[in-house]
Amino acid sequence: MIARLFATLRGLLGRRRIEGEIDEELRDHLEREIEAHRSRGVAAEEARRLALRDLGGLAQTTESTRAVRATWLDTVSRDIGYAARVLRRSPIFATVAVLSLALGIGANAAIFQLVDAVRLRSLPVPNAHELVDVRPSGTQAFGTYEGVNSRATYPLWEQIRTHQTAFTGMFAWGDIRLLIGRGAAARRADGLWVSGDFFRVLGVTAVRGRLIEASDDYRGCAGGSAIISHAFWQRHFGGADAAIGSTLTIFDRPVTVIGVTDASFTGLEVGRSFEIALPVCAAAAGPRRDEDVVTALDRRDHWWLTVMGRLKPDWTIERASEQMRAISPGILQATQPSGYPAALMQAYRNITFSAFPAAQGVSQVRDAHDRSLLMLLGLTGLVLLITCGNLATLMLARAGAREREMAIRVAIGASRPRIAAQLVIESLLVAGAGAVLALPMALVSARALVGFLDVADNPVTLTLGVDWRLVTFVGGIAVLTTVLFGLLPALRVSTVDPIVAMRQASRGLTADPRHALFQRALVVGQIAVSLVLVMAALLFVRTFRNLATVDLGFEPSGLVAISFLDLASQALPVEQRVVFQRRLTEEMRSIPGIVAAASSSKIPMQRGVWSHFFTVPDADASQKAARFTYVGPGYFETMGIRRLAGRAFTDRDDSAGRPVLIVNESFVRAHLRQRNPIGATVRRLAEPGYPETLFEIVGVVANIKYEDFRDESCWCDGPDGMPPIAYVPLAQDPNPFPWASIVVRTDVSIAALTDAIIRRVGRLNPAITVGIMDVAEQLQDRLSPERMVAWLAGAFGVLAVVLVTVGLYGIIAYRAVSRRNEIGIRLSLGATRTHIVLLVLRDSLLLLTIGLAIGLPLTSATLRGAEALLFGLSPTDVPMLVAAAVLLAASAAAAGSVPAWRAARTQPDIALRSE
Amino acid sequence: MNKTQLLQGTLDLLILRILDLGPNHGWGISSRLQQISQDGLKTSQGSLYPALHRLEMRGEVRSEMTTSENNRRARVYTITRTGRKRLNQETETWEAFALSMRRVLEEGQ
C-alpha cells in the first residue's frame, strides 16, 4: 500500500523524467537486441527489422508503457481539456451558466466581504486574541457621555489600572471629534484620546517619529503633542518627513506632530478610522465649560473612556472577569460622584465591571449592521440556490440531448464512473470560471455597499480586499454549487442504457418519467425558496417605506440646523450666552428666505440624549427620568411641532421668571395620568450644575421622534414609541452650553442660504466656525443602510421571480411538447382549444400549489430571524404573504401561458403525422 | 511442440520469477525468459515493458537507471519484498492449478 503510494508520488513528481527514461530504456533494449542478432551473423538492416518487430514497434510500445505510468492527474487534465472543448462547442450555454453563477457567487462574496470585515477579522496588532475590553455591566445612566464607546470615567480608569492583576498591560482610549484650523477654514477630524500605554500594549509601531509613551501621559501635561494616522499623514502632509515636528491647530491650540502610526493600524473601532491621537491627559485642557473647576480627568460623572488590557498568558477571560467583579465594589466606592440623589448613588455602587474578548475591537458598524448583513448573506445564498436549480435543469436538458454521445462512449467501453467524472469536471469548470469572474465583481460591489453605509453624518471606513477567508469562501461556494447543479445530471447520464438511448435518440426526445419527476421537484423547490425571497423583498421595501414616511412629529424639509463647532464663544460668561444666542437667532431671522429661527440644546433625530431625573410632587415620591430639551422662543413654530394646549415660551421666560415647562403628549400619558397637565408641577432633581428646581407645566405639544426612526424606550411604564420629553426655556438653563445650535426654517433652497448664514455669523464673531446641516438630507442619510437592504432584498426578489419563471417555462414547455401526440389525439377527438390551454396550465398550477405549500412554512421559519430589522410590520404579515403568493402565481401563469397557447394551436394532423 | 501462447496474467509471474534470481534489465529479462523455457514461451517484447512498469507502480519491483558497460544507460529492475510475497502466492496457485489440469487431462485419456 505504502509502496504503491510512493510509486504514485514518484510518478507524479517525475513525469517528464520518467518519459525520457522510458525512451532511453527501449532504445537500450533495441541496441542489445540488434547486437544479439548481429552476433549470430544477421546483417545490420535485418537485425534492426527483427528487433523492431519483436518489440512490436517502438512508438506503440513507448505509448503503452507510458500509459501504465499515467496517473489520475493525467486523466483529470485530459478530462479538463475535453470539458473545455465541449463547452466551447456550446458557447451560449457556457456563457449563460458562467455568468449566472458569477452573479450568484459574486453577490454572496460581496456580502461575505462585509461580514468578514466587520465581524470576523481580528485587529491588525500582534496577538489580538489577548485583548480584553473591561466594561460595566450595570447601568450608568447619569452624567455626561461622549459617545457609544464611553464606558468609564477617568477616575474609574485610574482605579481599575491600580487594582487589576489580570493584565500584563492596560490602556484607555476615547473618541473625540476634533476641529483642526480656525474659523471658516476649520475642518473636523476623527480624534482619539489615548493613555500613555496605548501603543505599547497594543504593539503598534511608528513609521515616522515616535508614538505617545507612558512618560507623555501625566496629570497637568500641556497636551502639545499628537500622533497622526498613516492615512492622515498621506492626505494632509503628502507623506512628507517634514510632518514630524510640524504644528496643527486643534481646538485653537497649537499641537506638535511627533509621530505617524503604521498603515495597518486605523484605531480600535472597526468601521471608523482615527486621524489624530492625543494623550488622554490633554483632555484636562480640552473642550469644557469654563465654569467647571473640575476637569475631564477629575469628573466622576463624565463617561468618555473605553478601558482595555492584554491578558496575562495564563489567565482566562473568565478569571479576569472574576477579578474585575471582585474589585468593582471598592473601585466604585472610591469614585462616587457627589451632588446626585441617593438612589442614583446606590445604582452607581451596584455597577460591576467584567471582561469581554476584544480581539476584533469594538464596532458601532458591527452592532448596527451585523444582523442585516447576516440576513443579506442568507438571501444571497437563497438566490444562488435558485440559480443552481436553473442550472441543474439546464444541465439535465443538455444531458438528455447528449444521451447519444454518452451511449456511444459507454458502448465503446468507457466506464460509467469515468463518464460521470467527466461531467462533474465540466460542471466544475463552469463553477470555477464563475468564481473567477465573481471575485472582481464582489470587490466592486462590496465597495459600493460600504458607500451606502458611509454617509457624511456617520463615516464608515472598512478595509476590504482579497484575503484567504474570501478566497476559501468563494472556492467553497464554487464546489458546493457544482455539487448542487452538476452531480445529479452526471449521475443520470452515467446510468444511461446505450441500447435504449440509441433507439430513442432517433425520435429526438427521450421522455423518461423519472427524470421529468426530478425536474418538476426541482421547480417546486425553486418556487418554495423564491417565496422566501419575494416575501423578504416585500418586507424590507415596505420597512424602508414605513421608516421613510414615519411621522416624526416635526417637519424636516426646509429645516436647517446650524451648529457652532468651536470654542470661540466659550469666553462668554453664563449670563451673556443667552443674550448672544438671542442675537444670533435674530440675525438669522433677518436673512431673507428664513421664515423662523430658534435656538435649542438638541436637534431631534441627531444622536445624543439629554436627560434629567425628576419627581411629580402631586403624584408620588418616585424618581423618574425623561429627556429634557432646552429651547428658545419660537422653537415649536420653527420645527413644525404642533401645540396642543397651553402657551408657548416667550422672551419673558428667563432666569428671572418662574421656571416653566412644556411637555409632550407621551410625558402627560406616562407621568401625569388623570391630571390636567396645565398647572401641574415637576421637580427636577439636583445634579452637578443643575440645582433642584420646581417647574410648572404651561403647555403641551405633540410627540416627536427624539433620536431614532424606530421606537425608543420611554424609561417609564408605558409602551415604547415616541418618548416623553420636557422642554425648558433656554434662558432658564442654569448652565447653558456655549455651542448651542440654532434651527431655522426656510422657504428657499438651503444651498442659497449657506453663504448668508456664514456671513451673518461672521459679523457677530469672525472666529466662529459654523456647521450647516440640511435636516431632511441628514435624515435620508440615516436611512441609507435600510435603503440598501431594501434595494438588495428587492433586487433579489425580482431575480428570484425571473429565475423561477424561466425554470417553470422550461418545464411546462417541455411537458407540452412531449405530450404533442396526446394533444393531437385529444383535439381530433373533439377537445376544444380551451381544454388544451387548461390542460397545460393545470400542470403549471399544480407545481405552483405544491411550491407555495412548502414555501409558506419555510418563509415564516426563515424570516422570523429578521423580525428586529422590520418596522411597522411582522415577518408573517398576511397581506404581504398574499401579495408574494399572488406575484408568484402571476409569474407561474405567465410561464405557463406561452406553452399553453402554443399547444392549443397544435394541428392534430401534423402532430400525429410526426410520430 | 508448438510455441505455447503465453497465458494471459502469467507474464507478471514469470517476470517476478526471473527477477527472483537477481536484478536484471528489460532485455535481460526477455532473453532469460526465452532461455529458461528453451524458447518454449515466447513473450511479446511489446508487452514486457508495460508489465514491468505496472509492477513497479504496484511496488512489486523497483528500478534504477544505471550506467553500465561502455557507458550505456539501462534501467535495472529488482524484486521487492511485496513482489516476492506475490511470487510465492502465485506460484502456489499456479502449481495447484497445473496439478488439477494434469489430473483432469490424464483422467480423460
Side-chain angles (χ1 to χ4, degrees):
Chain A
M1 191 60 214
I2 302 281
R4 212 165 141 174
L5 187 74
F6 269 106
T8 313
L9 264 180
R10 258 210 320 270
L12 265 181
L13 295 174
R15 264 185 62 74
R16 272 284 141 72
R17 190 174 53 86
I18 289 271
E19 289 188 354
E21 283 178 6
I22 288 173
D23 291 346
E24 224 172 334
E25 185 178 13
L26 292 176
R27 259 200 316 274
D28 172 57
H29 173 96
L30 281 179
E31 280 168 28
R32 288 177 196 268
E33 186 76 5
I34 291 167
E35 269 169 42
H37 284 303
R38 300 256 299 166
S39 63
R40 285 198 294 271
V42 183
E45 272 304 298
E46 179 64 5
R48 186 168 182 78
R49 200 187 60 78
L50 284 174
L52 274 172
R53 187 203 61 189
D54 286 346
L55 191 60
L58 183 60
Q60 290 90 324
T61 305
T62 308
E63 203 42 56
S64 58
T65 309
R66 275 186 188 178
V68 171
R69 286 278 173 184
T71 58
W72 59 271
L73 201 67
D74 304 292
T75 321
V76 167
S77 64
R78 223 183 13 249
D79 279 355
I80 290 177
Y82 181 76
R85 279 198 304 280
V86 165
L87 288 175
R88 254 207 309 277
R89 272 208 306 271
S90 35
I92 294 178
F93 164 78
T95 313
V96 167
V98 168
L99 279 186
S100 56
L101 271 182
L103 272 174
I105 296 176
N108 275 278
I111 308 276
F112 176 79
Q113 264 199 297
L114 295 191
V115 173
D116 181 23
V118 304
R119 75 179 263 150
L120 299 178
R121 212 179 287 150
S122 288
L123 290 171
V125 298
N127 300 322
H129 63 274
E130 294 172 355
L131 292 178
V132 169
D133 184 7
V134 175
R135 29 173 221 264
S137 31
T139 169
Q140 75 272 42
F142 74 99
T144 55
Y145 294 84
E146 282 295 336
V148 190
N149 299 324
S150 306
R151 275 87 162 250
T153 63
Y154 195 85
L156 276 172
W157 148 238
E158 283 182 316
Q159 288 284 325
I160 295 171
R161 183 177 49 182
T162 314
H163 292 105
Q164 66 86 15
T165 51
F167 305 103
T168 55
M170 289 206 92
F171 58 90
W173 59 278
D175 299 316
I176 178 157
R177 298 215 75 182
L178 300 172
L179 197 67
I180 310 178
R182 280 200 183 84
R187 62 164 289 247
R188 290 197 141 188
D190 281 315
L192 276 187
W193 295 119
V194 300
S195 68
D197 277 337
F198 181 86
F199 293 112
R200 186 186 61 79
V201 174
L202 278 174
V204 175
T205 52
V207 287
R208 290 290 185 283
R210 66 170 185 91
L211 300 180
I212 289 171
E213 292 157 11
S215 58
D216 296 307
D217 181 23
Y218 55 93
R219 270 173 183 269
C221 70
S225 44
I227 303 298
I228 57 176
S229 73
H230 192 272
F232 185 79
W233 179 47
Q234 295 297 329
R235 219 171 24 243
H236 201 269
F237 293 101
D241 287 343
I244 305 299
S246 65
T247 304
L248 291 170
T249 304
I250 297 177
F251 283 133
D252 240 8
R253 291 192 190 85
V255 173
T256 310
V257 175
I258 60 168
V260 180
T261 58
D262 187 75
S264 66
F265 183 75
T266 58
L268 291 179
E269 184 170 353
V270 177
R272 189 161 233 176
S273 20
F274 88 102
E275 293 175 302
I276 298 172
L278 302 167
V280 81
C281 59
R288 62 188 168 88
R289 309 185 203 190
D290 52 344
E291 257 79 352
D292 289 344
V293 276
V294 216
T295 70
L297 298 195
D298 292 315
R299 278 188 61 188
R300 295 174 162 194
D301 59 349
H302 181 50
W303 306 77
W304 57 298
L305 294 172
T306 298
V307 177
M308 291 171 79
R310 208 178 255 286
L311 212 56
K312 284 182 179 164
D314 50 341
W315 279 61
T316 60
I317 289 261
E318 291 73 30
R319 193 168 160 210
S321 244
E322 223 160 86
Q323 208 243 330
M324 287 302 127
R325 274 196 291 278
I327 62 172
S328 290
I331 287 177
L332 291 155
Q333 190 68 42
T335 56
Q336 266 196 94
S338 52
Y340 285 94
L344 253 184
M345 281 311 92
Q346 189 52 50
Y348 178 82
R349 283 192 301 271
N350 286 343
I351 293 173
T352 49
F353 279 88
S354 317
F356 299 88
Q360 287 142 7
V362 299
S363 178
Q364 292 177 48
V365 175
R366 176 159 60 223
D367 299 344
H369 305 306
D370 202 20
R371 215 181 252 275
S372 25
L373 285 178
L374 284 183
M375 197 263 320
L376 285 175
L377 194 60
L379 292 187
T380 51
L382 292 182
V383 171
L384 190 61
L385 207 60
I386 298 185
T387 313
C388 283
N390 269 17
L391 279 183
T393 313
L394 212 56
M395 292 295 272
L396 273 173
R398 255 170 73 77
R402 285 169 69 188
E403 262 178 3
R404 214 185 145 86
E405 172 200 338
M406 299 304 157
I408 292 171
R409 296 186 58 192
V410 170
I412 60 174
S415 76
R416 292 176 195 281
R418 284 280 298 110
I419 289 187
Q422 164 87 66
L423 283 172
V424 169
I425 282 174
E426 221 173 282
S427 304
L428 257 180
L429 213 59
V430 169
V436 167
L437 275 184
L439 264 181
M441 233 166 64
L443 289 177
V444 172
S445 32
R447 227 151 257 154
L449 293 183
V450 173
F452 260 110
L453 304 178
D454 180 23
V455 291
D457 180 45
N458 188 22
V460 170
T461 51
L462 286 175
T463 325
L464 299 174
V466 181
D467 63 1
W468 63 268
R469 260 188 299 262
L470 180 67
V471 172
T472 313
F473 179 82
V474 169
I477 283 208
V479 171
L480 191 71
T481 52
T482 309
V483 170
L484 287 178
F485 77 81
L487 207 55
L488 274 163
L491 291 180
R492 180 203 155 165
V493 165
S494 60
T495 59
V496 66
D497 181 340
I499 300 173
V500 175
M502 301 285 246
R503 200 182 295 146
Q504 283 180 336
S506 60
R507 275 174 36 186
L509 272 174
T510 59
D512 184 337
R514 254 185 328 133
H515 298 149
L517 191 68
F518 172 71
Q519 266 153 306
R520 288 156 70 83
L522 212 58
V523 168
V524 166
Q526 284 180 301
I527 292 173
V529 172
S530 62
L531 183 67
V532 178
L533 285 168
V534 171
M535 183 66 183
L538 291 176
L539 288 179
F540 287 110
V541 170
R542 186 75 211 181
T543 288
F544 173 66
R545 240 186 77 82
N546 286 350
L547 286 171
T549 57
V550 72
D551 181 17
L552 297 168
F554 64 92
E555 181 48 56
S557 70
L559 204 58
V560 183
I562 306 164
S563 46
F564 302 95
L565 299 176
D566 72 348
L567 305 173
S569 53
Q570 194 191 346
L572 290 175
V574 169
E575 56 282 6
Q576 280 177 36
R577 286 183 195 164
V578 173
V579 179
F580 182 72
Q581 290 217 352
R582 194 173 294 163
R583 276 176 57 202
L584 264 179
T585 314
E586 277 156 14
E587 199 71 40
M588 293 300 118
R589 284 193 189 122
S590 70
I591 297 176
I594 287 183
V595 292
S599 45
S600 153
S601 63
K602 151 97 186 176
I603 295 160
M605 299 297 291
Q606 294 292 295
R607 280 163 231 270
V609 178
W610 185 316
S611 64
H612 286 293
F613 295 94
F614 66 94
T615 60
V616 179
D618 295 343
D620 51 47
S622 73
Q623 177 188 310
K624 307 166 200 310
R627 294 151 176 86
F628 274 62
T629 302
Y630 293 83
V631 301
Y635 176 75
F636 300 112
E637 292 71 34
T638 311
M639 291 297 295
I641 298 174
R642 273 180 306 126
R643 289 217 334 267
L644 302 175
R647 64 174 177 90
F649 293 140
T650 68
D651 282 340
R652 282 187 303 282
D653 294 318
D654 57 12
S655 51
R658 194 164 43 103
V660 289
L661 273 190
I662 292 177
V663 296
N664 69 354
E665 284 176 281
S666 285
F667 193 98
V668 174
R669 199 177 318 121
H671 301 303
L672 301 167
R673 267 167 254 164
Q674 320 290 337
R675 222 160 279 117
N676 177 16
I678 308 295
T681 54
V682 166
R683 187 187 305 280
R684 186 184 63 199
L685 300 180
E687 57 190 277
Y690 291 86
E692 186 174 294
T693 310
L694 188 68
F695 289 97
E696 186 192 328
I697 296 175
V698 296
V700 178
V701 293
N703 288 338
I704 58 161
K705 293 273 177 186
Y706 181 82
E707 201 195 4
D708 203 335
F709 284 96
R710 293 164 193 263
D711 292 350
E712 285 173 66
S713 159
C714 74
W715 305 341
C716 59
D717 295 337
D720 288 347
M722 297 217 188
I725 305 174
Y727 297 93
V728 185
L730 195 74
Q732 291 181 354
D733 183 350
N735 201 6
F737 262 60
W739 53 78
S741 312
I742 289 181
V743 281
V744 304
R745 180 163 294 285
T746 161
D747 51 11
V748 298
S749 99
I750 289 169
L753 285 178
T754 313
D755 282 346
I757 292 172
I758 291 172
R759 220 170 25 247
R760 297 296 178 102
V761 175
R763 206 189 286 171
L764 282 179
N765 184 345
I768 293 180
T769 308
V770 185
I772 295 173
M773 185 184 71
D774 180 339
V775 174
E777 197 179 278
Q778 190 264 343
L779 289 181
Q780 266 184 20
D781 276 0
R782 271 193 68 179
L783 284 179
S784 193
E786 276 86 358
R787 187 180 298 119
M788 171 183 89
V789 170
W791 264 107
L792 287 178
F796 297 154
V798 170
L799 201 60
V801 170
V802 170
L803 286 172
V804 161
T805 309
V806 170
L808 252 177
Y809 169 80
I811 293 287
I812 306 287
Y814 176 77
R815 284 267 291 172
V817 172
S818 53
R819 287 168 81 181
R820 234 154 79 93
N821 285 313
E822 179 198 332
I823 289 168
I825 293 171
R826 280 173 188 270
L827 281 171
S828 50
L829 290 182
T832 63
R833 305 274 177 211
T834 323
H835 276 131
I836 302 301
V837 168
L838 288 178
L839 186 75
V840 175
L841 277 184
R842 207 173 55 202
D843 210 32
S844 174
L845 200 69
L846 180 71
L847 297 178
L848 177 78
T849 314
I850 303 174
L852 291 183
I854 299 172
L856 275 176
L858 189 70
T859 305
S860 65
T862 323
L863 294 179
R864 192 165 301 148
E867 181 144 26
L869 298 171
L870 301 178
F871 179 71
L873 72 179
S874 90
T876 47
D877 190 82
V878 174
M880 288 292 143
L881 265 179
V882 171
V886 167
L887 197 68
L888 281 176
S891 61
S897 60
V898 174
W901 181 73
R902 209 178 284 150
R905 283 168 39 105
T906 307
Q907 300 295 322
D909 49 333
I910 296 174
L912 291 172
R913 208 182 303 136
S914 74
E915 179 54 8
Chain B
M1 180 178 133
N2 289 328
K3 284 185 179 174
T4 316
Q5 282 292 337
L6 193 63
L7 280 169
Q8 245 187 351
T10 55
L11 181 57
D12 286 3
L13 184 59
L14 291 172
I15 292 172
L16 289 174
R17 177 73 193 107
I18 288 163
L19 286 179
D20 198 29
L21 304 173
N24 213 333
H25 44 64
W27 184 83
I29 295 170
S30 137
S31 57
R32 198 67 190 266
L33 210 54
Q34 289 172 36
Q35 213 180 336
I36 293 177
S37 60
Q38 287 109 36
D39 284 336
L41 292 169
K42 179 85 178 170
T43 72
S44 151
Q45 291 167 350
S47 54
L48 175 68
Y49 287 92
L52 274 170
H53 284 265
R54 198 178 305 118
L55 283 174
E56 184 171 21
M57 296 292 281
R58 286 158 61 156
E60 287 165 2
V61 305
R62 66 193 149 72
S63 74
E64 232 178 328
M65 288 303 282
T66 57
T67 310
S68 60
E69 69 275 23
N70 53 39
N71 217 13
R72 197 147 58 181
R73 296 241 298 153
R75 185 183 285 279
V76 172
Y77 295 87
T78 317
I79 190 164
T80 65
R81 203 199 303 213
T82 325
R84 202 159 274 136
K85 219 189 299 176
R86 181 168 170 223
L87 174 65
N88 292 337
Q89 270 170 14
E90 300 236 329
T91 312
E92 275 171 34
T93 318
W94 182 254
E95 275 167 359
F97 172 70
L99 190 66
S100 321
M101 279 302 286
R102 201 178 314 129
R103 280 204 194 117
V104 171
L105 294 175
E106 282 167 2
E107 195 92 340
Q109 273 178 350

